[in-house]
Amino acid sequence: MRIDVLNGVNLDLLGRRDRSRYGDASLQDLETQIYAWARELRLQVRCRQTNHEGEYVEFLHAALDNADAIVVNPGAWTHYSWAIRDALEPYEGVVVEVHISNVDEREGWRKHSVLEGLTTERVIGQGIDGYRRALELLAERRDG
């Protein structure tokens, strides 16, 4: 199973942002861990991150024909980027939305996801371990 893990805006600042909310791991640490979890679960992953919304849209376009599943964490774009929603809409595979912090317990504007209805699963508030849970959900679907 080929999985694109797509991280969005400001996730390159992991380890430097509010550590009580996002933890100490850097984006590099996170990606290293994702690749290790993927090996354990016999999944093939590609991690990508950008701070440019158009590039994130291009990542989603590339996934249309190249990924069996997508793990998305668009960061703040989750709450307002209709362009990202429109780019994800034609995707026919499984999509797992991940957020490191518990967005449902934060500011009111963070409680809304423009991706609602397009994602198969949502994992929030589990720190970087949420990515492991997302990969486990995908492995369970593959094996189920």
Side-chain angles (χ1 to χ4, degrees):
M1 176 177 265
R2 298 168 302 162
I3 302 165
D4 276 357
V5 178
L6 305 179
N7 284 303
V9 65
N10 294 320
L11 284 153
D12 61 322
L13 294 178
L14 287 175
R16 299 178 73 186
R17 290 181 74 189
D18 181 352
R19 290 184 173 141
S20 66
R21 187 163 298 194
Y22 299 105
D24 294 330
S26 68
L27 178 64
Q28 183 177 355
D29 297 335
L30 171 61
E31 290 180 350
T32 298
Q33 192 61 65
I34 288 170
Y35 286 119
W37 290 327
R39 279 190 303 277
E40 289 174 23
L41 297 166
R42 299 180 332 273
L43 299 169
Q44 179 184 345
V45 299
R46 173 174 59 170
C47 294
R48 304 175 93 179
Q49 187 277 330
T50 185
N51 290 316
H52 304 281
E53 186 178 20
E55 186 173 26
Y56 199 89
V57 166
E58 293 294 336
F59 291 168
L60 291 167
H61 290 180
L64 288 171
D65 297 319
N66 298 309
D68 301 309
I70 307 172
V71 174
V72 295
N73 183 348
W77 292 325
T78 302
H79 314 293
Y80 67 86
S81 177
W82 295 101
I84 288 173
R85 180 189 171 82
D86 287 350
L88 183 59
E89 193 169 19
Y91 185 74
E92 295 179 357
V94 177
V95 179
V96 181
E97 180 181 350
V98 172
H99 295 284
I100 294 169
S101 69
N102 187 341
V103 292
D104 288 345
E105 294 180 358
R106 294 186 60 190
E107 303 91 342
W109 61 270
R110 291 188 193 267
K111 295 176 184 176
H112 172 72
S113 172
V114 298
L115 306 180
E116 187 174 336
L118 298 180
T119 59
T120 310
E121 302 277 353
R122 190 167 186 247
V123 180
I124 63 170
Q126 296 183 22
I128 67 168
D129 288 337
Y131 289 85
R132 179 181 179 86
R133 182 66 190 134
L135 295 176
E136 288 171 344
L137 289 166
L138 294 171
E140 289 167 11
R141 284 181 169 271
R142 176 201 61 204
D143 297 341

